[in-house]
Amino acid sequence: NPQEFPSEEILKKEILEQLNALDDDKKVMLKLSLPSVDNIYKELVDHPKVVRVVALSGGYSRDNANAILSCQTGMIASFSRALLDGVAFAQTQDEFDATLKATIDCIAEASK
């Protein structure tokens, strides 16, 4: 319910005002924290001056961030911290590679 998270509504409104004020030949990419309300930023995703909306993991675990992201139509992941979940110094190269591949695969799946 957007009324429960007025800060996200305010942010969206302010971003839309700035997007609408841009020259027609200008395009932007937005990097926003994962929202508390599903698809609250869909209007930004669909805006003609927005190339891409990427989501920060916002301190969530990778699994939680992926679950939230998968409910956001058109947003893709920018999860640098979540990318390191499960990676450890003591891992062998093969373990490291397998962990990183599994992480990338699940983040990519959530971004669809």
Side-chain angles (χ1 to χ4, degrees), residues 34 57-68 79 81-83 85:
L34 286 168
S57 59
Y60 291 104
S61 70
R62 184 182 65 232
D63 289 342
N64 286 345
N66 284 343
I68 295 167
F79 294 175
R81 187 204 45 77
L83 187 63
D85 274 4

Side-chain angles (χ1 to χ4, degrees), residues 17-30:
E17 285 181 19
Q18 296 302 314
L19 288 171
N20 292 331
L22 284 174
D23 292 339
D24 288 340
D25 64 334
K26 303 295 183 198
K27 304 278 186 195
V28 299
M29 180 177 82
L30 301 171

Side-chain angles (χ1 to χ4, degrees), residues 54-88:
V54 298
L56 298 163
S57 59
Y60 291 104
S61 70
R62 184 182 65 232
D63 289 342
N64 286 345
N66 284 343
I68 295 167
L69 178 63
S70 67
C71 295
Q72 311 307 318
T73 305
M75 288 183 84
I76 63 169
S78 178
F79 294 175
S80 54
R81 187 204 45 77
L83 187 63
L84 299 177
D85 274 4
V87 174

Side-chain angles (χ1 to χ4, degrees), residues 83-98:
L83 187 63
L84 299 177
D85 274 4
V87 174
F89 181 76
Q91 288 176 319
T92 66
Q93 186 66 49
D94 287 344
E95 291 169 332
F96 173 84
D97 291 347

